[in-house]
Amino acid sequence: MAKGNNRKKLRRTWTEIKRNKACYAMLAPFMIFFIVFTVIPVVMSLPMGFTDFNMAQPPKFVGFSNYTTLFFSDKIFIRSIRVTIVFALLTGPVSYVLCFLLAWLINELPPKLKTIFTLIFYIPSMANVYTVWQLIFSGDINGYLNSFLINLGIITGPIQWLTDGRYVLAVTIIVQMWISLGAGFLALRAGFQNIDRSQYEAAAIEGIQNRWQELIYITIPSMGPQLMFAAVMQIVGSFTAGTVAQNLVGFPSTDYKAHTIMTHAYDYGWVRFEMGYASAICMILFVVMFICSRLISRVLSKYMD
Amino acid sequence: MAQIDTAKLKASNKQAGRKIGGTVGIFLFLTVLGLFMAMPIYLTIVMSVKPVEELFVFPPKLYAVRPTLDNFRDMFAALRQNRVPFSRYVFNSVAVTVSVTVMQCVFSSMAAFVLAKCRFPGSKVINNIIVISLLYQSNVIYIMQYIVMAKLGLIDNPLALILPSIASPMGLFLMRQSISQVPDAVIDAAKVDGAGLFRICWQVVMPNQKPALMTLIIFAFQGAWNIQTGSVVFQEQYKTLPTVVTQAAASGLARAGVAMAAAVFMLIPPVIVFMLAQKNVIETMAHSGIKE
């Protein structure tokens, strides 16, 4: 009986598939490349967290030992969790709000200025500028920040911004925020342009009186999809941040003060070649990011289709 | 000049309760923040035209006293020492960038349309996989990607620079989110008129998706332009600009100026594409008339 039901279900699915073959045809070009170069590598990497893998010998299954080591004996990992949480909580929400706020404010300007301001705020994500930040925060009196502060008389001697344990995290956060107006910001800019103008005209008749009311009653509710996109980008950006610290304050940073989970994974993967352990670290990070994105999608769900 | 500007300001203020003072306030706020944001970029440009002896002057100056193009000259001189002519690298980069950008935009748009607007067996699963693959970041993936590419015989093949970048889950997600805002009624109406999915996608939906598509072009171009040959292609005649420019710039702080010149040089094409695309995004605003 159950078997018959299954077969019926299968047949119904099959007719559904045949009915929708145009969909599959349009999906195919993307999916072929996506499966080969993304899905297969991801699936192959999933079980690596349960192995001991040094890239020279084939991976050896070790069960949960990578995870128990991480949580019970890797003190630097525990420290990196703390750094990552501070980092993500500070840069994530702040730059998310900033992305939205700036995209909105720019939208209120005349067209020519829109292009210019969008460029100014987005250009940090396009340029490779670690060298210039190194010169700004340089520890000798030639550093821009040091010489500026000395000239103003705020400090008397140069500060080692990039190596002093008290400052490295703050410096990293500033630079991270500076480059974080990226994909999410541009997507939100595009979203604002996509809103139907007639909605605003209708709203004006119905008694919307100023920019704020317009923002809250019309703009935000019609930007759900873009808000979700920006949120996912922001989660990935703030949790996997590591390159900024590595390029700026050195690797490892003083006292591991700017040592994020991703830096830890980099350390084990590409310095010590313990790929199994590194991939266990990444797995934990993935679980955290996945939960975060689910929570945000629940909050935004009333604005989505 | 001033007259035109006020006319434009007025035109953009047709919406409810716009006061000119508010717009000016926003402009001033953005200018102050913009100056801070643009400072490092400004310094990069200044450094790229500073002669070597000015790099270590105290106090460091915010402008070049005697601007020079020496750093750019040094960079090109270093590039000229390579066995392969400079034009070859330019050709490689342009070929990679154009093919990745075009294919990424065409393939993602079609897939995004289907995933946003059609329900068929597997559509939910695929939608979830896209988001998961965005969130799953692991350095092990690169190794697995390398293994897959080796199995396909792509190592040391110029195709290795193009094929892996075509299907970007981020690009697809962006387009999918944007297309999901198109009312179903529009698509149903087109179906009633007898249009197939392919025609609906390109003639009904995509013409109204200019803002998202232009944004995707910016992302795709920027990503493809910065593709490094790194560990997959070793032959000199297949190397791309970012690889050789980084090589030319990478040697010590004394050559910080050359590194800056390289950064400025590599930034020019993406900025041009950005300006053209953004101009297009902003122009679409006036006539986006999808109605339920």
Side-chain angles (χ1 to χ4, degrees):
Chain A
M1 194 61 197
K3 225 177 192 174
N5 265 345
N6 270 344
R7 196 170 294 164
K8 220 182 257 169
K9 213 173 155 193
L10 223 70
R11 192 169 307 147
R12 204 175 321 131
T13 315
W14 180 237
T15 38
E16 273 290 288
I17 290 176
K18 273 202 291 198
R19 205 171 58 80
N20 287 302
K21 56 180 184 293
C23 292
Y24 296 103
M26 288 179 73
L27 202 54
F30 178 88
M31 284 312 278
I32 291 167
F33 289 103
F34 182 60
I35 289 172
V36 172
F37 295 106
T38 305
V39 177
I40 293 178
V42 166
V43 170
M44 279 164 76
S45 72
L46 288 180
M48 287 299 145
F50 300 102
T51 63
D52 181 4
F53 180 36
N54 59 11
M55 302 203 349
Q57 292 151 313
K60 202 168 76 216
F61 182 75
V62 292
F64 280 93
S65 84
N66 284 334
Y67 293 93
T68 48
T69 316
L70 267 175
F71 283 108
F72 296 113
S73 38
D74 191 341
K75 284 209 184 81
I76 294 169
F77 175 67
I78 303 298
R79 180 175 273 201
S80 78
I81 294 179
R82 237 182 11 236
V83 172
T84 307
I85 289 175
V86 170
F87 203 88
L89 283 183
L90 276 175
T91 61
V94 172
S95 54
Y96 184 55
V97 171
L98 213 60
C99 278
F100 183 82
L101 197 73
L102 290 174
W104 174 59
L105 290 177
I106 289 174
N107 202 47
E108 297 285 309
L109 293 174
K112 277 238 171 73
L113 290 175
K114 277 183 190 172
T115 316
I116 293 168
F117 275 111
T118 312
L119 177 67
I120 288 175
F121 290 118
Y122 184 70
I123 207 172
S125 328
M126 284 202 274
N128 176 7
V129 285
Y130 293 121
T131 329
V132 83
W133 279 109
Q134 265 166 6
L135 292 168
I136 290 174
F137 285 117
S138 173
D140 50 32
I141 51 166
N142 272 320
Y144 278 94
L145 186 61
N146 274 336
S147 84
F148 181 67
L149 292 176
I150 290 172
N151 273 347
L152 284 183
I154 294 173
I155 54 173
T156 48
I159 293 178
Q160 304 295 317
W161 299 105
L162 300 175
T163 44
D164 190 324
R166 282 172 297 174
Y167 303 116
V168 288
L169 185 59
V171 166
T172 319
I173 287 174
I174 288 170
V175 177
Q176 177 74 25
M177 299 263 265
W178 183 74
I179 59 169
S180 67
L181 289 169
F185 169 68
L186 270 201
L188 287 168
R189 282 286 307 115
F192 275 110
Q193 297 295 144
N194 226 6
I195 296 174
D196 191 349
R197 301 281 287 177
S198 61
Q199 281 192 25
Y200 291 117
E201 284 153 27
I205 295 164
E206 278 167 34
I208 295 274
Q209 280 166 1
N210 54 40
R211 304 178 209 254
W212 289 105
Q213 290 182 353
E214 209 175 79
L215 176 72
I216 288 162
Y217 294 112
I218 304 166
T219 312
I220 292 181
S222 41
M223 298 253 303
Q226 281 82 12
L227 285 169
M228 187 64 212
F229 177 85
V232 169
M233 289 297 122
Q234 219 48 257
I235 291 171
V236 175
S238 52
F239 276 105
T240 63
T243 37
V244 172
Q246 270 158 254
N247 279 300
L248 210 61
V249 297
F251 169 72
S253 46
T254 312
D255 277 344
Y256 294 99
K257 280 280 172 18
H259 197 76
T260 62
I261 297 181
M262 212 54 189
T263 318
H264 202 56
Y266 178 89
D267 185 8
Y268 276 92
W270 299 115
V271 180
R272 306 176 202 211
F273 292 106
E274 291 182 31
M275 276 295 168
Y277 196 71
S279 114
I281 298 172
C282 293
M283 198 62 195
I284 294 166
L285 199 59
F286 166 67
V287 172
V288 174
M289 292 199 289
F290 186 72
I291 294 169
C292 272
S293 79
R294 279 285 128 136
L295 289 176
I296 290 174
S297 125
R298 188 152 304 167
V299 172
L300 289 175
S301 65
K302 62 176 168 179
Y303 300 139
M304 311 269 279
D305 50 301
Chain B
M1 184 67 203
Q3 247 175 350
I4 298 168
D5 278 347
T6 39
K8 266 188 185 151
L9 273 174
K10 269 182 198 152
S12 78
N13 280 359
K14 262 183 199 151
Q15 284 162 238
R18 288 295 186 279
K19 289 189 193 104
I20 192 87
T23 308
V24 171
I26 289 171
F27 174 74
L28 291 178
F29 172 74
L30 287 177
T31 307
V32 171
L33 198 63
L35 283 177
F36 169 73
M37 293 293 286
M39 195 65 191
I41 300 290
Y42 169 77
L43 284 178
T44 307
I45 297 170
V46 167
M47 298 277 222
S48 74
V49 295
K50 263 189 189 178
V52 180
E53 60 273 16
E54 273 183 48
L55 281 179
F56 300 103
V57 182
F58 181 82
K61 289 208 167 54
L62 290 176
Y63 54 90
V65 182
R66 285 182 296 108
T68 155
L69 290 177
D70 280 0
N71 292 319
F72 289 90
R73 211 195 50 215
D74 287 355
M75 181 186 80
F76 285 113
L79 285 173
R80 218 170 294 126
Q81 284 165 4
N82 290 341
R83 205 159 40 72
V84 176
F86 181 66
S87 56
R88 175 73 207 210
Y89 302 121
V90 176
F91 170 79
N92 290 347
S93 269
V94 170
V96 167
T97 310
V98 170
S99 39
V100 168
T101 309
V102 170
M103 283 195 269
Q104 195 176 322
C105 291
V106 173
F107 294 173
S108 313
S109 303
M110 287 198 299
F113 163 67
V114 172
L115 287 172
K117 284 293 155 196
C118 302
R119 290 288 156 267
F120 53 89
S123 58
K124 262 217 172 99
V125 179
I126 295 173
N127 272 323
N128 284 332
I129 290 176
I130 304 283
V131 178
I132 288 175
S133 72
L134 271 173
L135 293 173
Y136 185 76
Q137 311 265 324
S138 165
N139 40 26
V140 195
I141 293 179
Y142 300 118
I143 300 165
M144 300 306 164
Q145 243 170 8
Y146 186 89
I147 294 173
V148 169
M149 276 154 77
K151 280 258 159 38
L152 292 173
L154 285 176
I155 302 303
D156 215 11
N157 182 332
L159 283 178
L161 302 175
I162 297 173
L163 302 184
S165 305
I166 290 174
S168 142
M170 183 179 98
L172 181 90
F173 189 42
L174 174 78
M175 289 308 291
R176 198 203 86 86
Q177 295 298 83
S178 183
I179 294 177
S180 73
Q181 290 171 314
V182 177
D184 285 333
V186 172
I187 290 157
D188 291 339
K191 272 186 190 158
V192 171
D193 290 344
L197 277 184
F198 191 78
R199 272 194 50 201
I200 297 179
C201 173
W202 291 113
Q203 293 183 358
V204 179
V205 175
M206 287 313 288
N208 285 306
Q209 292 299 320
K210 238 186 186 178
L213 184 63
M214 290 295 146
T215 310
L216 177 59
I217 289 177
I218 293 171
F219 293 154
F221 186 93
Q222 189 190 334
W225 179 249
N226 288 317
I227 288 176
Q228 297 244 8
T229 22
S231 53
V232 284
V233 170
F234 310 106
Q235 293 180 56
E236 193 65 33
Q237 76 261 31
Y238 295 139
K239 283 189 177 166
T240 53
L241 272 179
T243 316
V244 288
V245 166
T246 318
Q247 278 169 6
S251 40
L253 192 66
R255 297 188 60 182
V258 179
M260 300 297 178
V264 171
F265 172 70
M266 286 307 287
L267 194 57
I268 294 167
V271 167
I272 292 172
V273 170
F274 181 92
M275 296 293 275
L276 294 175
Q278 275 295 312
K279 222 179 129 237
N280 246 307
V281 170
I282 283 152
E283 277 165 8
T284 42
M285 180 155 203
H287 40 81
S288 69
I290 310 172
K291 291 195 180 90
E292 288 269 5

